[in-house]
Amino acid sequence: MKTYRYNINGNDYEVAVEGIENHTATVVVNGETYTVKMPEEEKPAPRPVVVKPAAAPAQDTAKKHSVKAPLPGVIVEVTVKPGDEIKRGDTVVVLDAMKMENNITSDYTGKITEICVVPGESVMEGKDLIILE
């Protein structure tokens, strides 16, 4: 049993909470027992369900892939041109990052459809370097 002392408008009260059950508390105030109804907790309003529209089907049946810059740097050399057939692991771009030249290789086999960078261009991490299908 928890006991509290209060002074309200100059009057002293000793309040003991004997128990709480089903939103009803039994309290003793200065030796007199009272039953106190407490308001029930409000239940949160249901959240609306948001449904995303289905993506439009791709018009192009060929699967396109891109080779992205793994870190920021400056393009030193592009070793491929549009129309070239490359295999996974082939170097497609040389990127200078922190005074080190890095060979950027393709994770895919396919045909180069687009070159997105030129030598001397500064690129940020994640920029598309080449597109292939």
Side-chain angles (χ1 to χ4, degrees):
M1 177 166 56
K2 200 89 156 145
T3 303
Y4 304 93
R5 295 189 187 281
Y6 297 105
N7 184 299
I8 302 172
N9 293 331
N11 298 318
D12 290 328
Y13 296 94
E14 185 174 299
V15 179
V17 179
E18 290 187 338
I20 300 173
E21 190 173 313
N22 295 329
H23 302 288
T24 303
T26 304
V27 296
V28 178
V29 180
N30 291 342
E32 206 168 318
T33 302
Y34 296 92
T35 302
V36 179
K37 286 256 187 209
M38 297 184 299
E40 292 187 26
E41 293 179 18
E42 289 186 30
K43 294 182 179 171
R47 291 184 173 187
V49 177
V50 177
V51 179
K52 291 184 179 179
Q59 299 296 331
D60 192 358
T61 57
K63 181 84 171 154
K64 293 193 175 192
H65 300 283
S66 65
V67 176
K68 297 182 181 294
L71 66 164
V74 176
I75 303 299
V76 173
E77 179 184 5
V78 178
T79 61
V80 293
K81 61 186 181 306
D84 285 355
E85 294 281 339
I86 63 168
K87 294 184 295 239
R88 181 177 187 197
D90 286 351
T91 298
V92 293
V93 172
V94 178
L95 177 74
D96 182 323
M98 297 184 295
K99 303 204 187 281
M100 291 182 60
E101 289 189 0
N102 300 279
N103 291 331
I104 309 303
T105 59
S106 174
D107 289 335
Y108 308 100
T109 297
K111 182 179 181 179
I112 304 294
T113 58
E114 185 179 350
I115 307 293
C116 303
V117 292
V118 294
E121 180 179 348
S122 292
V123 296
M124 297 302 294
E125 179 179 348
K127 171 153 174 58
D128 287 338
L129 302 175
I130 65 160
I131 309 290
L132 63 144
E133 58 182 32

